[in-house]
């Protein structure tokens, strides 16, 4: 790597790290504020609602984002970027239509279901879900273009802003409930959308003037390649949501809403930081790896990229293991620092959920091998199998052992996923 290339990589690493670092701090401070202001029941309601918004992102936005990043560099070099963006717009329109349709159906038929939230609260969830879908796809475009600084600034503003506005609305209204928190989240989402629109209009205009991209009809081969890559990712990401979120619904069905709130708060502080560390490494390395190997699956470049990827997975796993050992001794202190008084009884889960998060994050790194090889269909089958086992295990555990059973199941499922991912990563496909 040349000196100029190394400096460019370091600048990108700084901005990616800056964005995720501020996000982690916002998560820690925001969780501390919300667990102080909200009861465990209200926080459980908030966690379940956010999980629904996350489902929209996983199914509607993440597959589009992964496809965009995978094809961006190669298609830009081959004067197909305009075509790629037009197809991304079409997929995005479908995703938003699905979100608003589900929201409308919920508003219309919710009153006939006992215990169902009111129409206003459902609309807040739907609007926030749509914002997250747009946010995720815009971030992917910025990642693909390696516009690290703009991405980091918008990410920081959104993460800090949503907690700050939620706190502000609670203080102004005096209503310490999940609906008020969502009002703050939605307000921050609108600000992020405006920032994305302003930057992307400027950025894409610059790209168009520099490269003189031609508007052309998408060839049948290219169209087929995109669809073949995209559709299995929808299944994969839906199943990932099940693996990551279904335990809350099992707890809600067979345990208590207070346990959902306590578990979700610790999960957010222990599991999610490992995901953010993994995302830092993925955001930094994925566009570079895809640019390195292109779309023609060159074996030599692919082997080199996979070595880098396995090394990254090892780093994630070591960090999680060391962090779990630390938390075994100091989880009570961490609980006092970052959890409200009613939530501190759940701090014993910190080390184990941190380790589970590390296993999941390392697995994500290792499974990048399949998207590098355009093998998204086997990836869908893998996640489908894991999701089925997870749902059965979470339900069985919640029914018989409540929180303790679900907690053990989460750790076991993520450890097994790491083992499977490691075996798959060692089987290098020859083209």
């Amino acid at each position: 790597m040349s000196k100029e290339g190394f400096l460019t990589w370091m600048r990108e690493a700084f901005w990616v790290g800056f964005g995720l670092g501020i996000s982690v701090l916002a998560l820690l401070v925001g969780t501390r504020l919300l667990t102080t202001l909200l009861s465990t029941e209200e926080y459980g309601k908030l966690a379940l609602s956010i999980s629904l918004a996350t489902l929209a992102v996983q199914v509607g936005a993440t597959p589009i984002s992964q496809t965009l990043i995978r094809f961006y560099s190669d298609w830009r070099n081959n004067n197909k970027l305009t075509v790629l963006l037009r197809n991304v717009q079409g997929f995005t329109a479908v995703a938003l239509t699905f979100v608003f349709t589900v929201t409308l159906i919920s508003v219309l038929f919710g009153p006939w279901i006992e215990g169902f939230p009111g129409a206003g609260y459902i609309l807040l969830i739907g609007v926030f879900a749509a914002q997250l879908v747009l946010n995720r796809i815009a971030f992917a475009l910025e990642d693909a273009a390696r516009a690290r600084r703009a991405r980091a600034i918008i990410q920081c503003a959104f993460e800090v802003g949503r907690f700050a506005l939620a706190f502000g609305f609670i203080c102004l209204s005096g209503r310490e409930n999940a609906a008020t928190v969502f009002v703050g989240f939605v307000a921050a989402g609108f600000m992020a959308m405006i920032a994305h629109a302003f930057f992307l209009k400027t950025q894409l205009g610059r790209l168009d003037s520099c490269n003189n991209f031609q508007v052309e009809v998408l060839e049948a081969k290219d169209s087929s390649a995109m669809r073949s890559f995209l559709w299995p990712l929808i299944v994969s990401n839906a199943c990932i949501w099940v693996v990551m979120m279904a335990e809350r619904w099992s707890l809600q069905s067979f345990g208590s809403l207070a346990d959902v709130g306590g578990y979700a708060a610790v999960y957010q502080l222990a599991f999610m930081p490992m995901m953010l560390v993994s995302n830092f490494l993925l955001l930094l390395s994925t566009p570079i790896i895809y640019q390195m190997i292109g779309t023609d699956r060159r074996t030599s470049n692919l082997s080199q990229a996979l070595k880098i990827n396995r090394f990254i997975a090892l780093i994630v796993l070591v960090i999680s293991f060391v962090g779990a050992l630390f938390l075994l001794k100091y989880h009570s202190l961490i609980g006092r620092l970052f959890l409200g008084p009613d939530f501190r009884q759940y701090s014993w889960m910190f080390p184990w959920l941190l380790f589970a998060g590390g296993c999941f994050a390392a697995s994500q790194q290792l499974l990048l091998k399949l998207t590098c090889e355009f093998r998204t269909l086997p990836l869908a089958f893998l996640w489908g199998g894991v999701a089925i086992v997870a749902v059965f295990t979470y339900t069985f555990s919640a029914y018989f052992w409540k929180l303790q059973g679900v907690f053990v199941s989460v750790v076991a499922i993520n450890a097994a996923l790491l083992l499977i991912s490691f075996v798959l990563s060692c089987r290098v496909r020859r083209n």
Side-chain angles (χ1 to χ4, degrees):
M1 181 184 294
S2 65
K3 181 179 179 180
E4 182 180 354
F6 178 75
L7 291 176
T8 300
W9 186 87
M10 288 298 294
R11 282 194 295 270
E12 292 188 25
F14 168 78
W15 283 112
V16 173
F18 176 79
L20 292 176
I22 297 299
S23 297
V24 170
L25 290 176
L27 182 67
L28 296 176
V29 175
T31 301
R32 181 65 171 85
L33 289 173
L34 294 182
T35 55
T36 300
L37 294 172
L38 303 182
S39 66
T40 52
E41 289 78 9
E42 280 296 321
Y43 198 89
K45 180 181 178 181
L46 177 66
L48 293 175
S49 303
I50 289 176
S51 75
L52 293 177
T54 304
L55 175 61
V57 176
Q58 283 293 111
V59 176
T62 302
I64 299 172
S65 302
Q66 291 172 331
T67 303
L68 174 58
I69 294 174
R70 184 64 184 93
F71 286 87
Y72 181 92
S73 177
D74 189 76
W75 282 27
R76 177 185 173 185
N77 292 336
N78 288 283
N79 288 345
K80 298 178 183 179
L81 183 57
T82 302
V83 177
L84 175 63
L85 295 179
R86 287 190 170 186
N87 278 267
V88 167
Q89 289 175 353
F91 291 136
T92 303
V94 172
L96 292 176
T97 301
F98 176 77
V99 170
F100 287 125
T101 301
V102 172
T103 302
L104 181 60
I105 292 173
S106 300
V107 168
L108 293 176
F109 293 98
W112 281 271
I113 302 175
E114 185 179 354
F116 208 76
Y121 189 69
I122 295 171
L123 286 173
L124 282 174
I125 298 173
V127 171
F128 187 59
Q131 290 175 337
L132 290 182
V133 168
L134 292 172
N135 204 36
R136 179 70 182 88
I137 295 172
F139 277 145
L141 183 54
E142 289 152 5
D143 290 332
R146 296 172 69 175
R148 310 294 196 176
R149 181 171 61 180
R151 202 252 201 235
I153 292 172
I154 296 173
Q155 181 182 14
C156 292
F158 173 66
E159 294 297 338
V160 173
R162 70 188 181 106
F163 286 113
L165 289 173
F167 178 71
F169 281 120
I170 289 176
C171 292
L172 290 174
S173 67
R175 297 177 180 177
E176 299 177 351
N177 55 38
T180 307
V181 173
F182 259 108
V183 172
F185 284 6
V186 168
F190 278 121
M191 295 179 184
M193 290 169 60
I194 293 171
H196 281 304
F198 176 79
F199 171 75
L200 290 176
K201 182 179 180 180
T202 304
Q203 177 73 10
L204 294 179
R206 187 185 306 121
L207 287 173
D208 186 67
S209 62
C210 291
N211 295 278
N212 192 27
F213 293 123
Q214 299 176 351
V215 178
E216 56 187 75
V217 178
L218 186 63
E219 297 178 1
K221 181 179 178 181
D222 292 333
S223 177
S224 177
M226 280 194 69
R227 288 196 304 269
S228 298
F229 189 86
L230 174 65
W231 292 114
L233 289 177
I234 296 176
V235 177
S236 297
N237 284 282
C239 293
I240 290 173
W241 179 89
V242 170
V243 174
M244 294 184 67
M245 297 292 175
E247 79 277 22
R248 303 163 196 223
W249 295 92
S250 297
L251 271 178
Q252 192 268 340
S253 299
F254 301 109
S256 68
L257 197 56
D259 279 346
V260 175
Y263 171 85
V266 176
Y267 180 97
Q268 194 165 359
L269 293 174
F271 195 101
M272 294 310 294
M274 290 311 306
M275 290 299 300
L276 290 173
V277 170
S278 176
N279 284 342
F280 163 73
L281 297 169
L282 276 175
L283 291 175
L284 183 62
S285 64
T286 301
I288 299 173
I289 288 174
Y290 287 160
Q291 188 174 356
M292 181 190 304
I293 64 178
T295 58
D296 57 1
R297 314 182 197 189
R298 294 182 291 272
T299 302
S300 59
N301 289 348
L302 178 59
S303 298
Q304 183 181 356
L306 292 178
K307 287 179 182 178
I308 297 171
N309 191 242
R310 283 193 289 268
F311 180 71
I312 291 173
L314 179 62
I315 292 174
V316 171
L317 197 58
V318 169
I319 292 173
S320 65
F321 183 75
V322 173
L325 290 178
F326 174 82
L327 289 175
L328 276 174
K329 185 174 182 180
Y330 296 106
H331 64 82
S332 298
L333 175 62
I334 299 299
R336 288 194 298 271
L337 288 174
F338 297 109
L339 292 173
D342 294 341
F343 293 78
R344 292 169 189 169
Q345 59 181 308
Y346 299 97
S347 67
W348 58 272
M349 291 186 289
F350 266 118
W352 303 104
L353 287 181
L354 181 70
F355 177 71
C359 290
F360 185 89
S363 300
Q364 290 284 77
Q365 295 286 340
L366 295 173
L367 291 175
L368 185 63
K369 167 185 183 290
L370 296 180
T371 57
C372 285
E373 298 174 342
F374 288 90
R375 298 172 63 200
T376 52
L377 185 58
L379 190 65
F381 280 112
L382 169 64
W383 280 113
V386 174
I388 291 171
V389 173
V391 168
F392 175 80
T393 306
Y394 295 158
T395 304
F396 183 85
S397 301
Y399 182 80
F400 285 101
W401 300 292
K402 304 298 187 291
L403 177 61
Q404 287 77 12
V406 169
F407 159 75
V408 172
S409 297
V410 169
V411 176
I413 289 291
N414 283 282
L417 176 63
L418 175 63
L419 180 61
I420 295 170
S421 303
F422 177 75
V423 172
L424 288 176
S425 72
C426 293
R427 298 175 60 186
V428 178
R429 185 182 183 182
R430 302 293 177 183
N431 295 301

